[in-house]
């Protein structure tokens, strides 16, 4: 896992300067603190650079350093990610006559690209973003994994130039940081920032779409950019659905179980110690339970305390005892300044606005894991989207059953929804606040921000199936934003987050399952609960109550609100164009107002980010402090 960057600059515009200055590389150094490399080329009147900041995970030797060159084909790569099935692909390449110097996945990716080109991509099981350059042909390809787990941003420079990077801020610093208010307004209104197609808060900074490529062809006349997709999730799920028709329920459960176990197994392939990110929920404990069978004395990291009943600590403590996992509890007692610093550090890591304070807790978990010497953590991101864990899916499934006149399923979904609401009555306020996102006729106005947000239908069209609505979450309404949160928080400390639920084989099969196997007996994620019987303790497996990181309201009073007010008032002149005219900032930014209204808190977080959209070197300084 690493950081990548590069540029294509007309030689008449470079004026002899280094193509990728080291101060720009500082924005990706935290992603790869172990080694750094730059290769420069001259190609048809352009200066071309490839840069790499390495986090050594597989093959720790210098033979795996990048940028990496294949002398036989002439291709160069700078690559961020992991190809988990690299041993199998390597074996296939060896049978075709290829030889290898290193033992890692980078050289496998390079030679697979040289052998098959775009046809190599469907063979890869992993998360990746890479640039492949051929100096003789003048081709530069920017490629991103199926679901956009790894970032890759790019923008246009004068005279046909191009700049790309793992860091959005690095690109914005080169092409301009004009704010995309539509992106920001949608995020503030719906808590959705990224989608599979787009993903930066700056107008001039583009993102290579998930499952897609951008090709830059360099000629003497200039650069020519074309784009295309190499992966189609809807098509793949439709193909999986065809195979599902011929299988019994037991066979489907067994198939999902096998894919999940293998997804965890291949993500344990590395040359450094592996730990797990834990919560008290089903997804992360499933991953941890399966990993603990393969890794002796597995370590886990969780945000909570065994003695704090409001946290996930007690549930994780019981889980740790039953599975033998050694758990580190992150439950700091932080002062006013430390909380404010944590807020700004998280904003710097994210390089984009975010919603809520749970990201600060997630940031702390990765910080402690890195201090403990771990570079790789397995996590449970994606389980809710794959197996229909979100409460909205109950309504979507019921709507589909009514439309199809499936009386038995209607009764089952109504009973399941009732049982869920009964067990989660204590969280009624949270659900009511979140429900506002799904009301198309709800007031979309802001109290602090001088913006209007386009109304979106987060329920999806009335004739949408549950599977189709889940695909929308994978591509638009949920996962892209969550994946950005996780990648930036982990990589800001030089920690690689591996996500078994994002294994494309498992994801496609899970989305293709019949709705009745996902929502049943008062549970979402029924299929996952079935296949983890005997693996995950029933106290977690059969728990209907859903929760995330616990961040107490005292965080707002104990430092967050103070820092938010400082950032906003100190930069009020810069923020004038984004502020509601006549807004009573003293009242709206008070501790009481921010504590009682999560939507107002998100608006304040947005303004604080807008005060300093590019927080240069924040990640690099943070990783230096934990190294």
């Amino acid at each position: 896992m690493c950081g990548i960057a590069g540029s294509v600059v007309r030689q008449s515009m470079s004026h002899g300067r280094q193509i990728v200055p080291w101060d720009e590389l500082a924005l990706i150094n935290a992603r790869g603190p172990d080694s750094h490399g730059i290769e420069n080329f001259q190609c048809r009147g352009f200066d071309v650079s490839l840069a790499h900041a390495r986090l050594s995970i597989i093959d720790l030797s210098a033979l795996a350093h990048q940028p990496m060159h294949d002398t036989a084909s002439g291709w160069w790569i700078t690559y961020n990610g992991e190809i988990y099935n690299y041993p199998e692909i390597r074996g296939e390449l060896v049978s075709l006559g290829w030889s290898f110097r290193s033992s890692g996945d980078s050289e496998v990716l390079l030679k697979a690209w040289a052998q098959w080109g775009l046809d190599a991509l469907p063979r890869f099981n992993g998360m990746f973003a890479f640039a492949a350059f051929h100096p003789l042909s003048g081709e530069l390809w920017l490629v991103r994994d199926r679901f956009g787990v790894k970032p890759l941003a790019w923008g246009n420079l004068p005279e046909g130039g191009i700049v790309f990077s793992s860091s959005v801020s690095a690109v914005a610093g080169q092409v301009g940081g004009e704010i995309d208010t539509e992106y920001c307004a949608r995020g503030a209104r719906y808590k959705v920032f990224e989608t599979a197609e787009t993903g930066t808060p700056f107008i001039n900074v583009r993102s290579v779409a998930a499952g897609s490529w951008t090709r830059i062809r360099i000629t003497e006349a200039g650069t020519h950019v074309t784009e295309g997709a190499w992966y189609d999730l809807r098509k793949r799920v439709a193909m999986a659905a065809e195979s599902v028709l011929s299988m019994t329920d037991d066979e489907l459960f067994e198939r999902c179980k096998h894919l999940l176990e293998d997804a965890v197994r291949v993500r344990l392939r590395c040359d450094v110690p592996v730990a797990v990110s834990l919560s008290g929920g089903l997804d992360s404990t499933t991953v941890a339970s399966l990993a603990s069978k393969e890794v002796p004395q597995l370590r886990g990291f969780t945000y909570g305390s065994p003695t704090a009943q409001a946290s996930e600590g007690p549930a994780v403590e019981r889980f740790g005892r039953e599975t033998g996992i050694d758990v580190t509890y992150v439950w700091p007692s932080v002062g006013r300044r430390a909380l404010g610093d944590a807020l700004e550090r998280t904003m710097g890591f994210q390089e984009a606005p975010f919603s809520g304070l749970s990201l600060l807790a997630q940031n702390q978990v990765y910080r402690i894991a890195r201090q403990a010497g771990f570079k790789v953590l397995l996590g449970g991101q994606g389980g809710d989207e794959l197996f229909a864990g979100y409460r909205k899916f109950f309504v979507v499934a019921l709507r589909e059953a009514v439309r199809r006149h499936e009386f038995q399923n209607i009764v089952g979904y109504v009973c399941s929804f009732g049982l869920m609401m009964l067990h989660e009555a204590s969280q009624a306020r949270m659900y009511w606040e979140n429900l506002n996102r799904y009301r198309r006729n709800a007031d979309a106005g802001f109290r602090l921000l001088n913006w209007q947000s386009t109304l979106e239908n987060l329920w999806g069209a009335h004739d949408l199936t549950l599977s189709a609505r889940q695909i929308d979450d994978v591509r638009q309404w949920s996962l892209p934003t969550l994946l950005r949160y996780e990648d930036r928080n982990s990589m800001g400390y030089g920690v690689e987050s591996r996500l078994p639920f994002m294994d494309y084989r498992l994801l496609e099969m899970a989305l293709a399952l019949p709705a009745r196997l996902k929502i049943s007996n008062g549970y979402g994620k029924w299929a996952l609960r079935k296949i983890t019987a005997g693996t995950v303790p029933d106290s977690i497996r059969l728990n209907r109550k859903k929760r995330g990181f616990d961040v107490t309201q005292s965080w707002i009073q104990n430092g967050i609100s103070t820092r938010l007010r400082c950032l906003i008032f100190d930069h009020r002149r810069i923020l004038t164009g984004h502020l509601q005219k006549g807004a009573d900032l003293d009242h709206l930014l008070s501790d009481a107002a921010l504590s009682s209204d999560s939507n107002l808190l998100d608006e304040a977080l947005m303004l604080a980010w807008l005060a300093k959209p590019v927080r240069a070197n924040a990640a690099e300084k943070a990783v230096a402090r934990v190294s």
Side-chain angles (χ1 to χ4, degrees):
M1 194 58 57
C2 311
I4 66 174
S7 62
V8 179
V9 180
R10 177 73 74 173
Q11 287 175 346
S12 61
M13 301 291 294
S14 62
H15 304 298
R17 70 178 177 87
Q18 188 176 348
I19 303 172
V20 180
W22 282 108
D23 59 349
E24 292 174 36
L25 283 177
L27 289 166
I28 64 169
N29 280 349
R31 300 182 69 92
D34 295 332
S35 69
H36 308 101
I38 295 179
E39 293 290 338
N40 295 322
F41 312 86
Q42 291 185 341
C43 181
R44 301 173 186 180
F46 285 87
D47 288 326
V48 180
S49 72
L50 300 179
H52 191 263
R54 185 184 182 200
L55 181 66
S56 301
I57 300 294
I58 299 175
D59 186 350
L60 309 185
S61 75
L63 292 174
H65 286 353
Q66 297 181 52
M68 183 178 286
H69 182 222
D70 175 51
T71 55
S73 66
W75 281 101
W76 287 81
I77 62 161
T78 181
Y79 152 58
N80 165 31
E82 300 290 356
I83 307 299
Y84 302 117
N85 62 334
Y86 73 96
E88 290 80 5
I89 297 174
R90 179 189 177 113
E92 187 175 359
L93 288 167
V94 168
S95 71
L96 293 172
W98 291 89
S99 59
F100 291 83
R101 297 174 62 244
S102 67
S103 60
D105 63 324
S106 299
E107 191 177 4
V108 171
L109 183 148
L110 173 59
K111 296 190 175 183
W113 177 263
Q115 172 71 32
W116 297 299
L118 286 174
D119 289 338
L121 303 177
R123 301 168 187 262
F124 296 154
N125 183 357
M127 52 183 181
F128 51 88
F130 68 88
F133 178 57
H134 199 283
L136 292 181
S137 70
E139 288 185 84
L140 173 65
W141 292 77
L142 307 179
V143 182
R144 201 167 176 214
D145 64 59
R146 292 171 178 82
F147 310 114
V149 180
K150 294 290 104 183
L152 186 52
W154 67 280
N156 292 300
L157 296 171
E159 297 291 327
I162 300 288
V163 62
F164 66 88
S165 180
S166 301
S167 166
V168 170
S169 294
V171 178
Q174 289 289 297
V175 304
E178 182 181 354
I179 300 299
D180 184 344
T181 55
E182 182 178 342
Y183 167 102
C184 293
R186 181 187 62 204
R189 171 72 172 83
Y190 293 103
K191 326 306 179 193
V192 173
F193 293 95
E194 272 71 30
T195 71
E197 286 76 27
T198 62
T200 89
F202 302 105
I203 289 176
N204 295 329
V205 181
R206 303 182 61 182
S207 179
V208 177
S212 297
W213 50 264
T214 298
R215 180 195 183 204
I216 299 100
R217 187 165 58 90
I218 303 171
T219 69
E220 287 80 0
T223 56
H224 304 272
V225 178
T226 54
E227 297 176 288
W230 64 269
Y231 179 73
D232 187 331
L233 176 60
R234 290 183 174 85
K235 181 178 179 180
R236 294 292 303 177
V237 173
M239 292 172 61
E242 288 293 324
S243 68
V244 161
L245 295 175
S246 62
M247 301 173 71
T248 67
D249 289 357
D250 286 342
E251 288 172 336
L252 289 173
F253 289 138
E254 188 60 32
R255 176 63 176 159
C256 287
K257 182 178 181 180
H258 168 74
L259 290 174
L260 177 57
E261 291 174 344
D262 193 60
V264 172
R265 182 183 61 81
V266 298
R267 280 163 180 76
L268 294 173
R269 291 173 168 174
C270 64
D271 297 327
V272 296
V274 178
V276 291
S277 175
L278 271 174
S279 72
L282 176 62
D283 301 335
S284 67
T285 53
T286 293
V287 171
S289 296
L290 294 173
S292 68
K293 297 178 180 180
E294 305 284 340
V295 180
Q297 300 178 325
L298 182 67
R299 286 279 298 277
F301 293 84
T302 190
Y303 194 85
S305 168
T307 60
Q309 294 302 314
S311 78
E312 295 182 309
V316 172
E317 195 270 338
R318 289 193 297 271
F319 172 75
R321 283 202 315 267
E322 293 187 34
T323 58
I325 295 175
D326 181 14
V327 181
T328 296
Y329 299 92
V330 182
W331 193 248
S333 176
V334 290
R336 184 174 298 271
R337 180 172 179 176
L339 276 171
D341 290 347
L343 172 65
E344 292 208 54
R345 183 169 61 249
T346 303
M347 286 192 286
F349 281 25
Q350 289 296 315
E351 298 188 315
F354 56 85
S355 172
L357 298 180
S358 64
L359 262 71
L360 279 66
Q362 184 188 59
N363 186 285
Q364 281 287 97
V365 169
Y366 287 117
R367 178 173 178 267
I368 298 302
R370 190 67 171 90
Q371 286 179 337
F374 289 96
K375 291 182 179 181
V376 176
L377 262 69
L378 270 61
Q381 194 74 265
D384 283 311
E385 289 80 6
L386 270 65
F387 289 101
Y390 294 128
R391 301 329 184 197
K392 63 192 172 192
F393 291 140
F394 284 67
V395 178
V396 175
L398 176 59
R399 187 177 64 182
E400 180 183 357
V402 169
R403 188 176 68 252
R404 294 183 172 183
H405 307 291
E406 298 171 342
F407 180 75
Q408 184 175 355
N409 286 340
I410 292 172
V411 173
Y413 294 144
V414 169
C415 292
S416 292
F417 187 76
L419 284 169
M420 180 271 293
M421 292 301 295
L422 180 66
H423 283 83
E424 298 196 338
S426 62
Q427 302 186 89
R429 176 184 168 183
M430 179 188 70
Y431 285 122
W432 180 258
E433 289 182 352
N434 286 330
L435 185 62
N436 193 52
R437 299 165 56 203
Y438 293 86
R439 297 175 183 161
R440 294 203 68 188
N441 61 344
D443 179 14
F446 297 111
R447 299 173 67 187
L448 284 168
L449 296 164
N450 184 28
W451 297 338
Q452 288 295 320
S453 173
T454 302
L455 290 178
E456 304 280 3
N457 180 11
L458 269 62
W459 290 114
H462 185 75
D463 60 350
L464 212 60
T465 65
L466 175 60
S467 177
R469 181 59 188 80
Q470 289 176 267
I471 290 173
D472 283 349
D473 256 22
V474 172
R475 290 191 54 80
Q476 182 171 1
W477 297 126
S478 179
L479 262 180
T481 297
L482 296 176
L483 291 173
R484 186 255 284 179
Y485 289 171
E486 182 140 355
D487 173 81
R488 307 309 193 275
N489 265 341
S490 60
M491 293 303 293
Y493 292 111
V495 175
E496 176 178 297
S497 177
R498 295 183 171 187
L499 308 172
F501 286 110
M502 297 306 299
D503 188 299
Y504 77 95
R505 303 166 302 169
L506 175 63
L507 189 148
E508 292 167 3
M509 176 58 68
L511 292 180
L513 291 175
R516 59 183 173 77
L517 298 186
K518 300 172 187 174
I519 298 174
S520 182
N521 299 307
Y523 294 98
K525 295 193 284 196
W526 178 246
L528 183 58
R529 298 176 197 277
K530 283 282 291 184
I531 66 179
T532 55
T535 300
V536 176
D538 285 352
S539 59
I540 293 174
R541 187 178 69 89
L542 300 179
N543 182 17
R544 289 188 175 90
K545 193 168 184 178
K546 186 173 181 58
R547 67 190 306 166
F549 280 127
D550 289 285
V551 182
T552 66
Q553 291 295 335
S554 64
W555 275 25
I556 294 175
Q557 291 92 346
N558 289 348
I560 296 298
S561 61
T562 300
R563 188 62 61 91
L564 286 173
R565 286 190 290 268
C566 286
L567 285 167
I568 294 169
F569 283 116
D570 288 352
H571 298 84
R572 189 165 181 172
R573 188 167 65 175
I574 298 174
L575 296 173
T576 298
H578 303 299
L579 283 167
Q580 285 274 8
K581 292 182 179 179
D584 185 351
L585 295 186
D586 289 327
H587 169 69
L588 293 174
L589 295 175
S590 67
D591 291 359
L594 295 175
S595 298
S596 61
D597 189 336
S598 62
N599 294 320
L600 188 61
L601 174 63
D602 285 346
E603 289 188 57
L605 288 168
M606 177 66 72
L607 286 169
W609 179 81
L610 288 167
K612 293 194 294 182
V614 177
R615 289 169 164 80
N617 302 329
E620 183 187 32
K621 292 175 181 177
V623 78
R625 286 195 293 270
V626 301
S627 297

